[in-house]
Amino acid sequence: MGVPALVTVAHGTRTPAGNLVAAELTAAAAARLGWTATTSYVELSEPLFADVVAGTEQPTVVVPLLLSTGIHLRQDLPEAVAAAPRAELVRLGRSLGPDPLLAAAQVDRLREAGATPGQPVVLVAAGSTDPTATADLEGAVAFLAEAWGAPVRLATLSGLGERPEHVVRSGDAVSPYLLSTGYFHRKLRHDALAAGASLVGDVIGPHQLVVDLVCERAVALAAEGADLTE
């Protein structure tokens, strides 16, 4: 495939600081790989992913900064790629999670927030109505429980699953399964503390382990798409 271009795609938020996380991750991955890179968003921020891939003129790998499978990954992103004039040059990856590297980054955020070894943890995700997303979240819970070394339970803010007020118990630590701040982060923190959580970790953010993961996915996609230039 030679040296491809990297495109990342995050959901997008009206909170500028949230969109900055995607840009920081992309820039760090590009610097490490030595590739050109573009940050894009599904909605709510620019540039939009559909517009970016519409202008593709060289082999390109797309690493979604989306933590779970859902309608964006199953429908919106593939449709945008299919509609691109040079769709044959684009290799679209899967959701970023679940992955042990994300779990390790979450552990760091929990420790930074003051969580103690053995403290019960609730992983809180944005949620989805897609059952495949639930399977991904269950995988994320398993990875976090292994990395943290203590029980981890799951709550979601929307879609399928139980809400934080029904899952969080007094004294629990809460680990946001979110890459960046925004509406869901603010709601998560409010709901978790109201339910009795002793602390809420920060969002995963532009952690170096996430940069590692983006690079890992990009290189794998480039290898899989080597025939794009043949």
Side-chain angles (χ1 to χ4, degrees):
M1 192 175 183
V3 178
L6 168 65
V7 172
T8 61
V9 52
H11 184 276
T13 173
R14 293 187 178 88
T15 304
N19 293 323
L20 185 60
V21 168
E24 290 176 349
L25 284 170
T26 305
R32 188 179 301 180
L33 294 167
W35 298 0
T36 60
T38 302
T39 309
S40 68
Y41 305 90
V42 178
E43 58 187 6
L44 302 178
S45 188
E46 294 183 343
L48 295 175
F49 175 72
D51 294 337
V52 170
V53 294
T56 296
E57 296 182 351
Q58 70 180 99
T60 299
V61 296
V62 178
V63 177
L65 302 180
L66 304 172
L67 298 181
S68 304
T69 307
I71 191 169
H72 293 316
L73 274 164
R74 291 194 301 104
Q75 180 175 317
D76 298 339
L77 302 189
E79 287 180 355
V81 171
R86 301 297 306 277
E88 74 278 4
L89 295 177
V90 182
R91 189 80 178 182
L92 175 62
R94 63 181 178 86
S95 62
L96 204 59
D99 194 277
L101 289 175
L102 293 174
Q106 287 178 270
V107 167
D108 280 352
R109 298 305 188 211
L110 284 168
R111 288 172 176 159
E112 290 166 3
T116 57
Q119 186 172 6
V121 169
V122 177
L123 180 152
V124 181
S128 171
T129 57
D130 192 325
T132 58
T134 300
D136 285 345
L137 294 179
E138 290 171 349
V141 166
F143 281 135
L144 182 57
E146 181 176 359
W148 181 242
V152 176
R153 305 187 306 282
L154 172 66
T156 60
L157 296 168
S158 65
L160 302 173
E162 293 186 89
R163 303 295 178 254
E165 58 265 31
H166 301 302
V167 178
V168 175
R169 302 166 187 163
S170 179
D172 284 344
V174 168
S175 177
Y177 194 56
L178 303 169
L179 270 185
S180 59
T181 191
Y183 168 76
F184 279 122
H185 181 214
R186 293 188 292 271
K187 178 174 174 55
L188 181 157
R189 184 172 181 81
H190 173 272
D191 293 355
L193 292 174
S198 65
L199 61 91
V200 178
D202 199 359
V203 294
I204 297 170
H207 194 289
Q208 284 302 303
L209 290 174
V210 185
V211 177
D212 292 345
L213 180 55
V214 171
C215 292
E216 179 184 295
R217 295 290 178 81
V219 169
L221 286 168
E224 292 172 9
D227 60 346
L228 295 182
T229 57
E230 295 179 359

